[in-house]
């Protein structure tokens, strides 16, 4: 399975679907981080980037789910 990582621009997503048949698309973590920091409460902004990096680098799904629960709490 092929994976294409990029920004969420509609034209780009459509082009990926048309050109890379069967490939999955994943939102770029940098753009995701920027977008989420724009809308999150200011009191969580200092800690959130580190929390998300820990989540994204989890060694397995169970650990990722545990970290996600902690972040959301």
């Amino acid at each position: 399975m092929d994976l294409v990582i990029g920004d969420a621009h509609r034209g780009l997503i459509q082009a990926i679907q048309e050109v890379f048949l069967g490939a999955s698309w994943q939102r770029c973590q940098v753009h995701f981080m920027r977008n989420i920091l724009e809308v999150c409460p200011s009191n969580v902004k200092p800690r959130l980037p580190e929390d998300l990096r820990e989540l994204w680098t989890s060694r397995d799904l169970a650990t990722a789910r545990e970290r996600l629960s902690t972040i959301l709490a």
Side-chain angles (χ1 to χ4, degrees):
M1 175 190 280
D2 293 320
L3 176 65
V4 179
I5 300 172
D7 192 9
H9 186 275
R10 285 183 187 230
L12 180 60
I13 295 170
Q14 182 177 350
I16 290 167
Q17 292 170 344
E18 293 174 5
V19 176
F20 299 101
L21 299 177
S24 295
W25 172 81
Q26 177 178 307
R27 177 96 165 112
C28 168
Q29 290 178 353
V30 170
H31 288 99
F32 178 81
M33 181 81 75
R34 288 178 187 166
N35 294 151
I36 205 165
L37 287 173
E38 288 174 2
V39 297
C40 74
S42 59
N43 62 323
V44 299
K45 282 185 181 184
R47 177 76 183 147
L48 190 57
E50 184 179 336
D51 286 342
L52 288 175
R53 283 188 201 97
E54 288 177 6
L55 173 65
W56 292 333
T57 58
S58 297
R59 69 179 182 274
D60 55 44
L61 184 57
T63 303
R65 286 182 173 159
E66 185 178 308
R67 287 181 175 169
L68 178 59
S69 290
T70 301
I71 292 169
L72 294 175

